[in-house]
PDB file of all heavy atoms in Angstrom:
ATOM      1  N   THR A  23     148.207 117.129 133.301  1.00 97.00           N
ATOM      2  CA  THR A  23     148.671 117.420 134.659  1.00 97.00           C
ATOM      3  C   THR A  23     149.702 118.536 134.598  1.00 97.00           C
ATOM      4  O   THR A  23     150.602 118.510 133.751  1.00 97.00           O
ATOM      5  CB  THR A  23     149.300 116.170 135.295  1.00 97.00           C
ATOM      6  OG1 THR A  23     148.351 115.102 135.279  1.00 97.00           O
ATOM      7  CG2 THR A  23     149.729 116.444 136.727  1.00 97.00           C
ATOM      8  N   LYS A  24     149.570 119.516 135.495  1.00 98.00           N
ATOM      9  CA  LYS A  24     150.539 120.622 135.550  1.00 98.00           C
ATOM     10  C   LYS A  24     151.243 120.604 136.897  1.00 98.00           C
ATOM     11  O   LYS A  24     150.600 120.702 137.939  1.00 98.00           O
ATOM     12  CB  LYS A  24     149.850 121.963 135.330  1.00 98.00           C
ATOM     13  CG  LYS A  24     150.839 123.141 135.287  1.00 98.00           C
ATOM     14  CD  LYS A  24     150.174 124.436 134.862  1.00 98.00           C
ATOM     15  CE  LYS A  24     149.300 125.017 135.940  1.00 98.00           C
ATOM     16  NZ  LYS A  24     148.824 126.387 135.602  1.00 98.00           N
ATOM     17  N   ILE A  25     152.563 120.477 136.871  1.00 98.00           N
ATOM     18  CA  ILE A  25     153.344 120.439 138.105  1.00 98.00           C
ATOM     19  C   ILE A  25     154.386 121.554 138.103  1.00 98.00           C
ATOM     20  O   ILE A  25     154.719 122.114 137.059  1.00 98.00           O
ATOM     21  CB  ILE A  25     154.036 119.077 138.298  1.00 98.00           C
ATOM     22  CG1 ILE A  25     155.096 118.838 137.215  1.00 98.00           C
ATOM     23  CG2 ILE A  25     153.008 117.942 138.311  1.00 98.00           C
ATOM     24  CD1 ILE A  25     155.955 117.602 137.446  1.00 98.00           C
ATOM     25  N   VAL A  26     154.884 121.861 139.288  1.00 98.00           N
ATOM     26  CA  VAL A  26     155.953 122.846 139.465  1.00 98.00           C
ATOM     27  C   VAL A  26     157.202 122.140 139.970  1.00 98.00           C
ATOM     28  O   VAL A  26     157.132 121.331 140.902  1.00 98.00           O
ATOM     29  CB  VAL A  26     155.545 123.937 140.479  1.00 98.00           C
ATOM     30  CG1 VAL A  26     156.713 124.880 140.751  1.00 98.00           C
ATOM     31  CG2 VAL A  26     154.341 124.716 139.977  1.00 98.00           C
ATOM     32  N   ILE A  27     158.327 122.465 139.358  1.00 98.00           N
ATOM     33  CA  ILE A  27     159.628 122.080 139.902  1.00 98.00           C
ATOM     34  C   ILE A  27     160.270 123.361 140.412  1.00 98.00           C
ATOM     35  O   ILE A  27     160.553 124.280 139.636  1.00 98.00           O
ATOM     36  CB  ILE A  27     160.540 121.419 138.845  1.00 98.00           C
ATOM     37  CG1 ILE A  27     159.816 120.251 138.161  1.00 98.00           C
ATOM     38  CG2 ILE A  27     161.843 120.956 139.495  1.00 98.00           C
ATOM     39  CD1 ILE A  27     159.406 119.125 139.079  1.00 98.00           C
ATOM     40  N   THR A  28     160.450 123.450 141.712  1.00 97.00           N
ATOM     41  CA  THR A  28     161.015 124.652 142.304  1.00 97.00           C
ATOM     42  C   THR A  28     162.204 124.266 143.180  1.00 97.00           C
ATOM     43  O   THR A  28     162.618 123.113 143.204  1.00 97.00           O
ATOM     44  CB  THR A  28     159.935 125.411 143.104  1.00 97.00           C
ATOM     45  OG1 THR A  28     160.506 126.645 143.585  1.00 97.00           O
ATOM     46  CG2 THR A  28     159.398 124.599 144.258  1.00 97.00           C
ATOM     47  N   GLY A  29     162.742 125.236 143.872  1.00 96.00           N
ATOM     48  CA  GLY A  29     163.881 124.953 144.749  1.00 96.00           C
ATOM     49  C   GLY A  29     164.825 126.130 144.840  1.00 96.00           C
ATOM     50  O   GLY A  29     164.729 127.092 144.063  1.00 96.00           O
ATOM     51  N   GLY A  30     165.737 126.057 145.783  1.00 90.00           N
ATOM     52  CA  GLY A  30     166.715 127.113 145.962  1.00 90.00           C
ATOM     53  C   GLY A  30     167.745 127.120 144.854  1.00 90.00           C
ATOM     54  O   GLY A  30     167.753 126.250 143.981  1.00 90.00           O
ATOM     55  N   PRO A  31     168.647 128.101 144.869  1.00 88.00           N
ATOM     56  CA  PRO A  31     169.697 128.191 143.847  1.00 88.00           C
ATOM     57  C   PRO A  31     170.567 126.944 143.835  1.00 88.00           C
ATOM     58  O   PRO A  31     170.867 126.375 144.875  1.00 88.00           O
ATOM     59  CB  PRO A  31     170.498 129.421 144.292  1.00 88.00           C
ATOM     60  CG  PRO A  31     169.566 130.201 145.153  1.00 88.00           C
ATOM     61  CD  PRO A  31     168.713 129.196 145.846  1.00 88.00           C
ATOM     62  N   CYS A  32     170.964 126.513 142.636  1.00 85.00           N
ATOM     63  CA  CYS A  32     171.850 125.367 142.461  1.00 85.00           C
ATOM     64  C   CYS A  32     171.268 124.120 143.131  1.00 85.00           C
ATOM     65  O   CYS A  32     171.919 123.435 143.911  1.00 85.00           O
ATOM     66  CB  CYS A  32     173.239 125.671 143.023  1.00 85.00           C
ATOM     67  SG  CYS A  32     174.520 124.498 142.536  1.00 85.00           S
ATOM     68  N   ALA A  33     170.026 123.835 142.798  1.00 91.00           N
ATOM     69  CA  ALA A  33     169.334 122.694 143.392  1.00 91.00           C
ATOM     70  C   ALA A  33     169.272 121.496 142.449  1.00 91.00           C
ATOM     71  O   ALA A  33     168.922 120.392 142.865  1.00 91.00           O
ATOM     72  CB  ALA A  33     167.917 123.091 143.801  1.00 91.00           C
ATOM     73  N   GLY A  34     169.564 121.726 141.158  1.00 92.00           N
ATOM     74  CA  GLY A  34     169.514 120.641 140.189  1.00 92.00           C
ATOM     75  C   GLY A  34     168.290 120.675 139.301  1.00 92.00           C
ATOM     76  O   GLY A  34     167.968 119.672 138.657  1.00 92.00           O
ATOM     77  N   LYS A  35     167.609 121.824 139.230  1.00 93.00           N
ATOM     78  CA  LYS A  35     166.394 121.886 138.435  1.00 93.00           C
ATOM     79  C   LYS A  35     166.646 121.595 136.955  1.00 93.00           C
ATOM     80  O   LYS A  35     165.873 120.873 136.324  1.00 93.00           O
ATOM     81  CB  LYS A  35     165.717 123.262 138.574  1.00 93.00           C
ATOM     82  CG  LYS A  35     165.035 123.478 139.901  1.00 93.00           C
ATOM     83  CD  LYS A  35     164.109 124.683 139.893  1.00 93.00           C
ATOM     84  CE  LYS A  35     164.814 125.979 139.626  1.00 93.00           C
ATOM     85  NZ  LYS A  35     164.804 126.393 138.201  1.00 93.00           N
TER      86      LYS A  35
END
Side-chain angles (χ1 to χ4, degrees):
T23 303
K24 184 171 73 171
I25 66 172
V26 175
I27 307 299
T28 184
C32 193
K35 286 194 298 95

